[in-house]
Amino acid sequence: RLTGQQQEINNLIQRKIAVDEENACLKNEFSNLNQKFKDKSQELKDTEECAQKKEEQNRLVIKNLEEENKGLNTCCADLLNDLEKLRKQEAQWKTEKSGNDARIKNLETDLAEAREQMKELRSICSNLSSQLAVKQEELSQKDSDVMRAKKELQELQNLYRQNIKHTAQQAELIKQLQALNTD
């Protein structure tokens, strides 16, 4: 009977050793798992922190982009206004250009007419110049005739004065002769 108990004790000891070994193995595995859990927890914490930082950075980037977008929208609105103004200005310039083109055409027509008139006036002027030259020649001739006539008139006046003097002297002589005759 003792041998049976001894055998049972041995079996129990064997089982206890096996259980202790299994327990040590499980403890070791638990320790490893616990370390892995700590590592994973730290990794998760680091990942969360990194994600939080990334999220913060993304929020900042989004905020900056939104502000930039707002600025770009304002700039775009200004550019559209400028474009509209430029289009209106272009339309106005086209209208003005059309008016100016018509005016230029009229001026060119007027200029052509003026050139034609100038040609006619030059022709008239040339004829008048020729006539003037003839008239100047005639006037020169008449001046010469007038000078000759003046000279002749001067001579005639001189002769007339001399004639009056002679007549006066003759009258005086006649008087004297009459007086002598009477005496």
Side-chain angles (χ1 to χ4, degrees):
R1 225 177 133 174
L2 225 120
T3 311
Q5 282 179 346
Q6 188 67 39
Q7 186 66 40
E8 207 174 311
I9 287 168
N10 281 345
N11 284 342
L12 285 172
I13 287 168
Q14 283 290 317
R15 272 179 66 197
K16 185 188 180 298
I17 289 168
V19 166
D20 282 348
E21 279 177 3
E22 195 179 337
N23 205 7
C25 197
L26 284 171
K27 265 187 186 176
N28 195 21
E29 199 175 323
F30 175 76
S31 176
N32 286 341
L33 284 172
N34 202 21
Q35 189 58 45
K36 274 185 184 176
F37 175 75
K38 280 180 184 173
D39 291 348
K40 288 289 176 190
S41 291
Q42 187 61 44
E43 198 177 317
L44 179 66
K45 193 179 172 186
D46 292 347
T47 304
E48 280 175 349
E49 279 177 13
C50 188
Q52 210 170 354
K53 281 179 186 172
K54 278 278 182 198
E55 205 174 310
E56 190 61 36
Q57 281 177 347
N58 286 343
R59 264 199 295 270
L60 277 172
V61 167
I62 289 167
K63 190 181 175 187
N64 290 338
L65 286 172
E66 281 172 350
E67 283 176 13
E68 197 176 329
N69 193 31
K70 201 185 281 183
L72 287 171
N73 283 337
T74 306
C75 188
C76 197
D78 291 345
L79 286 171
L80 284 171
N81 285 337
D82 289 349
L83 181 64
E84 189 58 33
K85 282 178 192 171
L86 286 170
R87 281 190 177 143
K88 283 179 184 172
Q89 209 171 26
E90 184 189 21
Q92 188 182 341
W93 283 345
K94 277 182 179 170
T95 308
E96 284 175 14
K97 187 187 179 296
S98 175
N100 286 340
D101 287 348
R103 262 201 306 255
I104 285 167
K105 202 171 181 184
N106 291 338
L107 286 170
E108 282 172 348
T109 307
D110 291 350
L111 183 64
E113 286 173 10
R115 281 188 176 139
E116 202 56 45
Q117 284 178 355
M118 228 161 106
K119 208 187 267 182
E120 288 171 18
L121 287 171
R122 277 198 183 118
S123 175
I124 291 167
C125 199
S126 177
N127 289 339
L128 287 172
S129 289
S130 298
Q131 288 176 20
L132 181 65
V134 170
K135 294 288 179 195
Q136 278 177 335
E137 188 62 38
E138 286 175 10
L139 183 64
S140 179
Q141 189 61 46
K142 296 234 188 272
D143 275 349
S144 181
D145 292 348
V146 166
M147 287 298 284
R148 204 168 28 255
K150 275 185 180 175
K151 213 174 190 181
E152 286 173 9
L153 179 65
Q154 187 73 41
E155 287 171 3
L156 284 171
Q157 282 175 339
N158 288 340
L159 283 171
Y160 177 70
R161 280 192 214 103
Q162 285 173 3
N163 206 0
I164 287 172
K165 268 186 193 174
H166 286 312
T167 307
Q169 285 171 356
Q170 281 175 355
E172 185 63 39
L173 280 171
I174 290 167
K175 255 188 200 174
Q176 287 174 4
L177 283 170
Q178 281 176 345
L180 283 172
N181 199 20
T182 306
D183 286 345

